[in-house]
Amino acid sequence: MSKYVSAYASPLGQIVIAAEEDSLVGLCFSDKAVLVPQEASAVISQTEKWLDAYFDGEDPIRNISCLAKGTLFQETVWQILMTIPYGSTMSYQEIADRTCSLLGKKRMSAQAVGQAVSKNPILILIPCHRVLGKGGLLKGYSGGMERQRSLLQLESHI
């Protein structure tokens, strides 16, 4: 299996992009000055173009194959994240309710959803920055609260 890694200079800091074969498997902010070997792959190039458009304030079409590996619960939560439209948000509790419906559960805590959201390996494309706490509060974004605020402002939400 071929693996590729690259670094992308975003307005919010360095983003490390990871791909396997023809799928994106990782997209995360790196606050450390990491020297990442720039490896060419179609999915890395496609992701960089998508990020260029996104940071230019566009709502680019998600046509990148993403392979986020996790538990059934985590993957269900991440699929729900993918349904949150650009410029919109959803609460942890709303996601818990949808997850219950999809998994045939009666109840689920928002905290359990928060744990799954925090394990999202593909930030921005799987838009966990669009998830807010009770009362619309920014809460626990793995890329950092300032980045979450900036991403939501970019999408003209707040």
Side-chain angles (χ1 to χ4, degrees):
M1 179 177 294
S2 298
K3 294 184 179 186
Y4 306 95
V5 178
S6 186
Y8 176 85
S10 87
L12 302 178
Q14 178 176 260
I15 296 175
V16 176
I17 304 168
E20 289 180 4
E21 299 298 332
D22 59 354
S23 293
L24 182 66
V25 296
L27 189 72
C28 64
F29 287 101
S30 175
D31 289 325
K32 299 175 184 167
V34 178
L35 198 55
V36 176
Q38 302 300 305
E39 299 181 45
S41 89
V43 74
I44 296 247
S45 177
Q46 191 178 18
T47 301
E48 289 171 343
K49 287 178 184 169
W50 189 95
L51 288 167
D52 286 343
Y54 178 82
F55 284 113
D56 280 343
E58 297 175 29
D59 177 12
I61 295 170
R62 280 185 255 184
N63 57 356
I64 299 167
S65 172
C66 295
L67 182 59
K69 299 175 189 172
T71 65
L72 173 63
F73 174 69
Q74 290 169 336
E75 290 177 7
T76 302
V77 169
W78 301 337
Q79 285 299 316
I80 294 167
L81 297 180
M82 297 284 287
T83 69
I84 305 171
Y86 181 93
S88 298
T89 61
M90 189 177 285
S91 73
Y92 288 100
Q93 189 59 56
E94 288 172 302
I95 295 169
D97 294 344
R98 286 192 185 184
T99 303
C100 281
S101 177
L102 290 171
L103 296 178
K105 305 278 184 187
K106 290 186 182 198
R107 295 182 59 207
M108 181 172 300
S109 74
Q111 290 84 1
V113 167
Q115 288 298 311
V117 169
S118 74
K119 303 290 186 205
N120 172 15
I122 304 175
L123 300 182
I124 305 174
L125 269 107
I126 299 178
C128 55
H129 63 278
R130 296 179 187 154
V131 181
L132 301 177
K134 201 178 250 186
L137 297 174
L138 300 181
K139 188 169 180 138
Y141 180 62
S142 63
M145 304 284 271
E146 283 305 311
R147 285 190 180 119
Q148 182 181 21
R149 180 175 283 105
S150 295
L151 292 169
L152 291 172
Q153 286 173 337
L154 177 71
E155 295 181 12
S156 300
H157 184 75
I158 60 172

mmCIF file of all heavy atoms in Angstrom, residues 124-148:
data_model
loop_
_atom_site.group_PDB
_atom_site.id
_atom_site.type_symbol
_atom_site.label_atom_id
_atom_site.label_comp_id
_atom_site.label_asym_id
_atom_site.label_seq_id
_atom_site.Cartn_x
_atom_site.Cartn_y
_atom_site.Cartn_z
ATOM 1 N N ILE A 124 -11.614 19.602 8.745
ATOM 2 C CA ILE A 124 -12.152 20.499 7.733
ATOM 3 C C ILE A 124 -13.015 19.751 6.716
ATOM 4 O O ILE A 124 -14.165 20.094 6.531
ATOM 5 C CB ILE A 124 -11.076 21.364 7.037
ATOM 6 C CG1 ILE A 124 -10.269 22.149 8.079
ATOM 7 C CG2 ILE A 124 -11.713 22.333 6.033
ATOM 8 C CD1 ILE A 124 -9.088 22.914 7.533
ATOM 9 N N LEU A 125 -12.486 18.740 6.031
ATOM 10 C CA LEU A 125 -13.312 17.985 5.080
ATOM 11 C C LEU A 125 -14.403 17.194 5.791
ATOM 12 O O LEU A 125 -15.507 17.070 5.275
ATOM 13 C CB LEU A 125 -12.457 17.047 4.225
ATOM 14 C CG LEU A 125 -11.998 17.711 2.936
ATOM 15 C CD1 LEU A 125 -10.546 18.044 2.973
ATOM 16 C CD2 LEU A 125 -12.351 16.873 1.761
ATOM 17 N N ILE A 126 -14.093 16.613 6.918
ATOM 18 C CA ILE A 126 -15.116 16.061 7.810
ATOM 19 C C ILE A 126 -15.257 17.157 8.868
ATOM 20 O O ILE A 126 -14.450 17.246 9.788
ATOM 21 C CB ILE A 126 -14.697 14.705 8.417
ATOM 22 C CG1 ILE A 126 -14.478 13.678 7.305
ATOM 23 C CG2 ILE A 126 -15.775 14.228 9.402
ATOM 24 C CD1 ILE A 126 -14.010 12.318 7.788
ATOM 25 N N PRO A 127 -16.246 18.029 8.677
ATOM 26 C CA PRO A 127 -16.268 19.333 9.358
ATOM 27 C C PRO A 127 -16.661 19.329 10.831
ATOM 28 O O PRO A 127 -17.710 19.847 11.226
ATOM 29 C CB PRO A 127 -17.279 20.115 8.517
ATOM 30 C CG PRO A 127 -18.219 19.077 8.019
ATOM 31 C CD PRO A 127 -17.379 17.855 7.778
ATOM 32 N N CYS A 128 -15.778 18.819 11.670
ATOM 33 C CA CYS A 128 -16.044 18.814 13.105
ATOM 34 C C CYS A 128 -16.001 20.227 13.688
ATOM 35 O O CYS A 128 -16.519 20.452 14.786
ATOM 36 C CB CYS A 128 -15.093 17.870 13.835
ATOM 37 S SG CYS A 128 -13.367 18.181 13.537
ATOM 38 N N HIS A 129 -15.427 21.187 12.959
ATOM 39 C CA HIS A 129 -15.426 22.573 13.441
ATOM 40 C C HIS A 129 -16.842 23.151 13.457
ATOM 41 O O HIS A 129 -17.087 24.158 14.104
ATOM 42 C CB HIS A 129 -14.495 23.444 12.584
ATOM 43 C CG HIS A 129 -14.907 23.562 11.156
ATOM 44 N ND1 HIS A 129 -14.610 22.580 10.221
ATOM 45 C CD2 HIS A 129 -15.599 24.525 10.498
ATOM 46 C CE1 HIS A 129 -15.100 22.949 9.046
ATOM 47 N NE2 HIS A 129 -15.699 24.120 9.192
ATOM 48 N N ARG A 130 -17.779 22.495 12.783
ATOM 49 C CA ARG A 130 -19.172 22.964 12.738
ATOM 50 C C ARG A 130 -20.010 22.444 13.899
ATOM 51 O O ARG A 130 -21.208 22.678 13.947
ATOM 52 C CB ARG A 130 -19.805 22.550 11.408
ATOM 53 C CG ARG A 130 -19.143 23.202 10.209
ATOM 54 C CD ARG A 130 -19.756 22.773 8.903
ATOM 55 N NE ARG A 130 -18.961 23.303 7.795
ATOM 56 C CZ ARG A 130 -18.913 22.750 6.603
ATOM 57 N NH1 ARG A 130 -19.609 21.665 6.330
ATOM 58 N NH2 ARG A 130 -18.154 23.283 5.658
ATOM 59 N N VAL A 131 -19.384 21.724 14.820
ATOM 60 C CA VAL A 131 -20.100 21.186 15.969
ATOM 61 C C VAL A 131 -19.906 22.121 17.164
ATOM 62 O O VAL A 131 -18.773 22.457 17.512
ATOM 63 C CB VAL A 131 -19.613 19.758 16.324
ATOM 64 C CG1 VAL A 131 -20.398 19.210 17.510
ATOM 65 C CG2 VAL A 131 -19.730 18.837 15.118
ATOM 66 N N LEU A 132 -21.034 22.515 17.756
ATOM 67 C CA LEU A 132 -21.005 23.452 18.875
ATOM 68 C C LEU A 132 -21.594 22.816 20.126
ATOM 69 O O LEU A 132 -22.417 21.905 20.042
ATOM 70 C CB LEU A 132 -21.796 24.715 18.528
ATOM 71 C CG LEU A 132 -21.313 25.499 17.307
ATOM 72 C CD1 LEU A 132 -22.241 26.683 17.041
ATOM 73 C CD2 LEU A 132 -19.881 25.958 17.472
ATOM 74 N N GLY A 133 -21.183 23.342 21.259
ATOM 75 C CA GLY A 133 -21.709 22.882 22.536
ATOM 76 C C GLY A 133 -23.064 23.493 22.819
ATOM 77 O O GLY A 133 -23.640 24.230 22.004
ATOM 78 N N LYS A 134 -23.561 23.197 23.994
ATOM 79 C CA LYS A 134 -24.859 23.708 24.443
ATOM 80 C C LYS A 134 -24.861 25.229 24.362
ATOM 81 O O LYS A 134 -23.888 25.881 24.706
ATOM 82 C CB LYS A 134 -25.085 23.254 25.881
ATOM 83 C CG LYS A 134 -26.526 23.256 26.322
ATOM 84 C CD LYS A 134 -26.636 22.737 27.737
ATOM 85 C CE LYS A 134 -27.293 21.379 27.685
ATOM 86 N NZ LYS A 134 -27.572 20.835 29.005
ATOM 87 N N GLY A 135 -25.940 25.782 23.863
ATOM 88 C CA GLY A 135 -26.063 27.230 23.767
ATOM 89 C C GLY A 135 -25.210 27.840 22.658
ATOM 90 O O GLY A 135 -24.982 29.041 22.640
ATOM 91 N N GLY A 136 -24.731 27.013 21.738
ATOM 92 C CA GLY A 136 -23.944 27.518 20.619
ATOM 93 C C GLY A 136 -22.509 27.877 20.947
ATOM 94 O O GLY A 136 -21.865 28.620 20.219
ATOM 95 N N LEU A 137 -22.003 27.337 22.059
ATOM 96 C CA LEU A 137 -20.638 27.652 22.483
ATOM 97 C C LEU A 137 -19.602 26.833 21.726
ATOM 98 O O LEU A 137 -19.811 25.651 21.448
ATOM 99 C CB LEU A 137 -20.475 27.396 23.983
ATOM 100 C CG LEU A 137 -21.325 28.247 24.908
ATOM 101 C CD1 LEU A 137 -21.158 27.789 26.345
ATOM 102 C CD2 LEU A 137 -20.953 29.713 24.762
ATOM 103 N N LEU A 138 -18.470 27.476 21.425
ATOM 104 C CA LEU A 138 -17.338 26.752 20.869
ATOM 105 C C LEU A 138 -16.812 25.840 21.966
ATOM 106 O O LEU A 138 -16.676 26.259 23.110
ATOM 107 C CB LEU A 138 -16.236 27.722 20.433
ATOM 108 C CG LEU A 138 -16.597 28.753 19.370
ATOM 109 C CD1 LEU A 138 -15.384 29.613 19.058
ATOM 110 C CD2 LEU A 138 -17.116 28.103 18.113
ATOM 111 N N LYS A 139 -16.513 24.606 21.604
ATOM 112 C CA LYS A 139 -16.124 23.676 22.653
ATOM 113 C C LYS A 139 -15.261 22.555 22.091
ATOM 114 O O LYS A 139 -15.688 21.804 21.229
ATOM 115 C CB LYS A 139 -17.379 23.084 23.286
ATOM 116 C CG LYS A 139 -17.112 22.261 24.501
ATOM 117 C CD LYS A 139 -18.407 21.941 25.198
ATOM 118 C CE LYS A 139 -18.091 21.113 26.404
ATOM 119 N NZ LYS A 139 -18.808 21.459 27.564
ATOM 120 N N GLY A 140 -14.030 22.451 22.564
ATOM 121 C CA GLY A 140 -13.201 21.278 22.351
ATOM 122 C C GLY A 140 -12.755 20.939 20.942
ATOM 123 O O GLY A 140 -12.543 19.775 20.656
ATOM 124 N N TYR A 141 -12.594 21.912 20.065
ATOM 125 C CA TYR A 141 -12.125 21.604 18.713
ATOM 126 C C TYR A 141 -10.653 21.191 18.764
ATOM 127 O O TYR A 141 -9.823 21.902 19.326
ATOM 128 C CB TYR A 141 -12.314 22.828 17.801
ATOM 129 C CG TYR A 141 -11.861 22.620 16.385
ATOM 130 C CD1 TYR A 141 -12.461 21.661 15.582
ATOM 131 C CD2 TYR A 141 -10.837 23.385 15.837
ATOM 132 C CE1 TYR A 141 -12.052 21.472 14.275
ATOM 133 C CE2 TYR A 141 -10.424 23.208 14.528
ATOM 134 C CZ TYR A 141 -11.041 22.251 13.755
ATOM 135 O OH TYR A 141 -10.638 22.056 12.455
ATOM 136 N N SER A 142 -10.338 20.040 18.181
ATOM 137 C CA SER A 142 -8.970 19.516 18.275
ATOM 138 C C SER A 142 -7.941 20.386 17.558
ATOM 139 O O SER A 142 -6.756 20.311 17.864
ATOM 140 C CB SER A 142 -8.900 18.076 17.755
ATOM 141 O OG SER A 142 -9.228 18.031 16.386
ATOM 142 N N GLY A 143 -8.378 21.220 16.626
ATOM 143 C CA GLY A 143 -7.470 22.142 15.954
ATOM 144 C C GLY A 143 -7.244 23.421 16.746
ATOM 145 O O GLY A 143 -6.440 24.263 16.364
ATOM 146 N N GLY A 144 -7.972 23.569 17.861
ATOM 147 C CA GLY A 144 -7.859 24.767 18.696
ATOM 148 C C GLY A 144 -9.071 25.668 18.519
ATOM 149 O O GLY A 144 -9.605 25.800 17.425
ATOM 150 N N MET A 145 -9.479 26.281 19.608
ATOM 151 C CA MET A 145 -10.682 27.121 19.601
ATOM 152 C C MET A 145 -10.564 28.322 18.658
ATOM 153 O O MET A 145 -11.530 28.679 17.994
ATOM 154 C CB MET A 145 -10.978 27.618 21.015
ATOM 155 C CG MET A 145 -11.128 26.502 22.024
ATOM 156 S SD MET A 145 -12.680 25.666 21.874
ATOM 157 C CE MET A 145 -13.616 26.682 22.956
ATOM 158 N N GLU A 146 -9.387 28.931 18.588
ATOM 159 C CA GLU A 146 -9.223 30.076 17.685
ATOM 160 C C GLU A 146 -9.369 29.649 16.234
ATOM 161 O O GLU A 146 -9.943 30.370 15.425
ATOM 162 C CB GLU A 146 -7.878 30.775 17.922
ATOM 163 C CG GLU A 146 -7.871 31.639 19.163
ATOM 164 C CD GLU A 146 -8.997 32.675 19.168
ATOM 165 O OE1 GLU A 146 -9.185 33.385 18.161
ATOM 166 O OE2 GLU A 146 -9.696 32.760 20.194
ATOM 167 N N ARG A 147 -8.846 28.477 15.904
ATOM 168 C CA ARG A 147 -9.009 27.974 14.536
ATOM 169 C C ARG A 147 -10.472 27.656 14.247
ATOM 170 O O ARG A 147 -10.958 27.922 13.152
ATOM 171 C CB ARG A 147 -8.130 26.753 14.313
ATOM 172 C CG ARG A 147 -6.671 27.104 14.161
ATOM 173 C CD ARG A 147 -5.876 25.895 13.699
ATOM 174 N NE ARG A 147 -4.482 26.220 13.554
ATOM 175 C CZ ARG A 147 -3.511 25.641 14.242
ATOM 176 N NH1 ARG A 147 -3.768 24.679 15.112
ATOM 177 N NH2 ARG A 147 -2.251 25.993 14.041
ATOM 178 N N GLN A 148 -11.160 27.086 15.228
ATOM 179 C CA GLN A 148 -12.579 26.795 15.032
ATOM 180 C C GLN A 148 -13.333 28.096 14.751
ATOM 181 O O GLN A 148 -14.131 28.168 13.821
ATOM 182 C CB GLN A 148 -13.174 26.088 16.256
ATOM 183 C CG GLN A 148 -14.641 25.729 16.070
ATOM 184 C CD GLN A 148 -15.259 25.052 17.274
ATOM 185 O OE1 GLN A 148 -14.751 25.162 18.397
ATOM 186 N NE2 GLN A 148 -16.359 24.353 17.056
#
